[in-house]
Amino acid sequence: MEIKKTPFYEAHQGLEAKMVEFAGYLMPLWYESVKEEAIAVRKAAGLFDISHMGKILIRGRNSLKLIQKLITNDASRLKPGKICYALLCNEKGTVIDDILVYGLGKERYLLVSNAANAEKVLNWLKKWAKKEIGLFSPPEIILKDCPFLALQGPKSEEILRKVGLSETFLNLRYYQCKAGRIFGETAIISRTGYTGEDGFEILIWEPKTPQVVWKKLLKAGRDLGLKPAGLAARDVLRLEAGLPLYGQELSEEITALEAGLEKFVFFGKEFIGKEALLEQKNRGLEKKLIGFEILSGRIARPKYLILKEGREIGQVASGNISHNLNKSIGTGFVKTDFSAPGTLIEIDIRGQKHPAKVSKLPFVKPR
Amino acid sequence: MRNKDCEKYPKNLKYTKTHEWLKIEERKITLGISYFAQEQLGDIVYVELPKIGMEVKEQKMFMEIESSKAVSKIYSPCKGKIVAINKKLGENPGLINSDPYGEGWLVEIEIMSLVLPDTLLDSICYENFLKEEIKDD
């Protein structure tokens, strides 16, 4: 498979970014330092290239019907300009992907999926469009390839004001979106993100010279502390904010409830996976997602064992050093009995037991 | 902050294929990791320093350093004894990134073997070795 480059590739190279292949794209892992990027996003702002994310347009008759059947959240509330977070589950209630659904208009929606899952989600949608709606008037399902940027951090709004973006965008509330123009590019701008900070995501819908948006934002934000930020900073920021990452906190082995996402499951409608999830809800959870801190400062890696008095009680999902909290933090799945914040546990790091403590998620409160 | 302008592979040092650098003075080696190694790892967040007096063996791992991206084992180039450790790294492991050949040194080893292994590389050979490594990726 050929590795794809985003339109910002040359800009990343110009900044001497360390590039890695991720989900078929060559992406910046960091520019100068993960630490400085992660701190900049909480104190000022960071600009991320997120063009690798999956973008799927669903439009035409029965779009809402299809989406409502497949997502755990309530799509009927998605008026144009509204966005919701939701899961796509299979019949077992385990997670195919976590997504954002944008209401763009009547029978017109945009799904933003994880990069690595875009094809899987596309096929899942098409399969159910055929099965559920049949050959008569299925909605159109189109995989879009377009540039996507995330401007995240407390200075985001000020930066966009500085570049002259109109108040209608600056007044967007959390999880709202609006189509318009930025530096001559047609874009959908939303107040969303994956860092737990205030911020905007800019989807350049019909790109002409999208590089201009990257360059001008960086230039305008420099004095305010804006830094370009890579995937490594994005990962630690999302972990600090307690946001799940597919492949770690979410997978086809983990149900929406075990991942602690019941808030995004609306049982007042029919959807794929509902029966299994309802049954699990009534029966009670055997394992649960927890957050933890490791006191020694070592990093827990995925699949490391979590122990209580030497006995295995679960496995690590994610681990990292939080540069903002100056702590070693992580998440994992443990037997429900050991999931209360404050519980003392141990993490087996390559044969050595490191004392840890269950902590409340998120580690950093979202703004 | 990473120093991208520093001399990447100083000529007065020797290098190993496991990306340590060595400064050899009489019967003592100062050891650290190369510019390439710290750049591959990214921000170093933890250094597990050995104890002074610990004996090390040729090509055997004797300590670990860790970044968000990976854990990296550090190997001794020869039989020897740890005679000094860089205690500053406990508080500030980022020194390895900002100054890999200076403030970011790891340990001093007293050489206990008769001769040093002939697999040590000078800066030119090491740079050639890196080019081959990158090609193989």
Side-chain angles (χ1 to χ4, degrees):
Chain A
M1 192 178 67
E2 201 192 335
I3 301 178
K4 288 183 263 188
K5 289 173 184 166
T6 80
F8 312 107
Y9 176 75
E10 280 78 21
H12 302 321
Q13 279 206 314
L15 291 162
E16 292 186 53
K18 177 162 181 66
M19 305 296 290
V20 287
E21 199 240 298
F22 182 77
Y25 284 86
L26 206 49
M27 301 299 292
L29 189 56
W30 58 72
Y31 297 84
E32 291 213 344
S33 148
V34 188
K35 182 177 173 178
E36 287 174 28
E37 291 163 26
I39 291 172
V41 172
R42 298 246 180 266
K43 296 223 163 108
L47 185 62
F48 300 82
D49 177 2
I50 54 167
S51 306
H52 60 305
M53 300 294 286
K55 289 139 289 197
I56 300 169
L57 182 65
I58 302 175
R59 67 179 179 203
R61 248 173 92 179
N62 294 317
S63 294
L64 176 61
K65 188 177 167 193
L66 177 68
I67 292 168
Q68 193 67 313
K69 176 80 187 175
L70 296 184
I71 73 169
T72 54
N73 214 333
D74 185 9
S76 73
R77 287 161 40 206
L78 275 181
K79 302 255 157 30
K82 290 255 191 310
I83 297 172
C84 78
Y85 175 81
L87 302 160
L88 291 172
C89 287
N90 58 27
E91 294 85 343
K92 293 185 292 182
T94 64
V95 180
I96 288 181
D97 201 6
D98 64 331
I99 55 170
L100 288 188
V101 188
Y102 290 49
L104 298 181
K106 194 174 185 300
E107 295 286 29
R108 194 177 158 84
Y109 298 89
L110 175 74
L111 256 67
V112 175
S113 80
N114 279 287
N117 288 339
E119 286 289 331
K120 181 172 81 165
V121 170
L122 188 71
N123 293 335
W124 183 253
L125 292 169
K126 285 184 173 168
K127 174 184 149 180
W128 282 98
K130 211 183 227 175
K131 208 161 169 175
E132 203 50 28
I133 294 154
L135 294 174
F136 185 67
S137 290
E140 263 188 285
I141 301 169
I142 306 156
L143 187 62
K144 291 274 291 182
D145 187 9
C146 48
F148 202 5
L149 295 174
L151 178 65
Q152 300 281 296
K155 299 275 173 149
S156 299
E157 188 180 318
E158 199 180 333
I159 293 165
L160 290 181
R161 179 168 284 114
K162 203 174 156 190
V163 301
L165 207 68
S166 76
E167 291 293 319
T168 53
F169 293 108
L170 303 176
N171 291 338
L172 283 172
R173 308 237 306 263
Y174 192 51
Y175 273 57
Q176 289 185 345
C177 66
K178 194 171 169 49
R181 293 177 86 74
I182 177 166
F183 302 118
E185 299 285 328
T186 307
I188 297 170
I189 297 176
S190 58
R191 200 150 204 159
T192 48
Y194 192 46
T195 59
E197 290 298 321
D198 184 21
F200 296 82
E201 290 177 311
I202 304 165
L203 185 63
I204 304 171
W205 197 245
E206 287 160 12
K208 288 182 293 196
T209 49
Q211 297 83 353
V212 172
V213 182
W214 171 270
K215 281 197 185 123
K216 295 214 166 165
L217 286 176
L218 270 191
K219 195 173 165 203
R222 197 179 297 149
D223 297 343
L224 295 165
L226 172 69
K227 280 184 186 295
L231 291 182
R234 187 168 157 86
D235 185 43
V236 65
L237 288 160
R238 70 92 199 162
L239 180 62
E240 287 174 349
L243 301 169
L245 172 63
Y246 196 88
Q248 295 184 200
E249 284 81 9
L250 299 172
S251 78
E252 291 188 31
E253 309 296 318
I254 298 161
T255 72
L257 303 182
E258 289 163 349
L261 297 173
E262 188 175 344
K263 215 167 65 167
F264 305 100
V265 180
F266 176 59
F267 285 111
K269 62 152 193 175
E270 293 309 312
F271 63 93
I272 311 289
K274 179 181 173 182
E275 265 177 58
L277 291 174
L278 256 187
E279 202 217 10
Q280 189 179 45
K281 184 175 156 74
N282 294 332
R283 207 177 48 224
L285 293 176
E286 281 171 32
K287 63 172 179 179
K288 242 175 112 171
L289 183 73
I290 57 157
F292 59 77
E293 280 172 28
I294 303 182
L295 311 172
S296 69
R298 300 306 297 264
I299 300 180
R301 312 267 170 190
K303 303 260 165 27
Y304 283 5
L305 296 183
I306 303 177
L307 313 167
K308 174 74 184 175
E309 283 146 18
R311 300 245 304 263
E312 182 183 334
I313 56 162
Q315 272 192 12
V316 171
S318 298
N320 216 325
I321 296 291
S322 160
H323 297 293
N324 287 292
L325 302 170
N326 217 355
K327 277 179 189 165
S328 168
I329 59 171
T331 60
F333 289 93
V334 296
K335 291 180 184 159
T336 308
D337 294 350
F338 304 100
S339 61
T343 308
L344 297 176
I345 54 175
E346 302 110 49
I347 313 288
D348 183 335
I349 299 182
R350 301 182 292 284
Q352 278 183 348
K353 290 184 192 71
H354 288 252
K357 196 172 77 181
V358 177
S359 38
K360 259 195 197 139
L361 285 172
F363 299 99
V364 174
K365 265 225 164 77
R367 294 204 202 207
Chain B
M1 177 82 73
R2 203 133 311 158
N3 183 357
K4 284 184 171 160
D5 302 321
C6 75
E7 194 184 356
K8 285 189 179 168
Y9 306 106
K11 297 218 168 10
N12 62 325
L13 303 176
K14 296 280 188 199
Y15 301 85
T16 67
K17 289 189 176 176
T18 44
H19 309 292
E20 292 90 10
W21 60 260
L22 321 170
K23 189 168 132 201
I24 305 164
E25 296 161 301
E26 302 282 321
R27 299 298 290 167
K28 196 185 79 184
I29 290 173
T30 309
L31 180 143
I33 65 166
S34 72
Y35 180 88
F36 173 82
Q38 65 78 28
E39 198 187 35
Q40 288 293 309
L41 283 166
D43 287 336
I44 314 276
V45 295
Y46 192 90
V47 179
E48 191 190 41
L49 287 163
K51 292 211 162 58
I52 291 177
M54 185 178 132
E55 296 206 352
V56 295
K57 288 185 184 140
E58 182 175 334
Q59 284 175 26
K60 285 277 166 1
M61 188 269 273
F62 68 95
M63 64 179 287
E64 285 180 349
I65 61 178
E66 189 159 16
S67 72
S68 298
K69 198 178 148 204
V71 185
S72 183
K73 294 178 163 68
I74 307 298
Y75 298 89
S76 174
C78 62
K79 186 167 156 40
K81 194 166 83 179
I82 305 290
V83 290
I85 55 175
N86 185 357
K87 288 207 180 105
K88 277 194 199 162
L89 298 178
E91 276 294 296
N92 191 1
L95 289 172
I96 297 172
N97 297 113
S98 58
D99 191 8
Y101 302 111
E103 296 245 14
W105 66 279
L106 301 178
V107 295
E108 284 178 8
I109 300 171
E110 186 188 306
I111 303 170
M112 288 164 70
S113 55
L114 283 175
V115 287
L116 287 175
D118 53 12
T119 49
L120 296 180
L121 307 171
D122 63 21
S123 64
I124 294 167
C125 292
Y126 181 62
E127 281 191 70
N128 287 335
F129 169 70
L130 290 180
K131 279 179 203 148
E132 292 295 312
E133 283 263 282
I134 293 163
K135 233 190 291 170
D136 290 346
D137 270 2

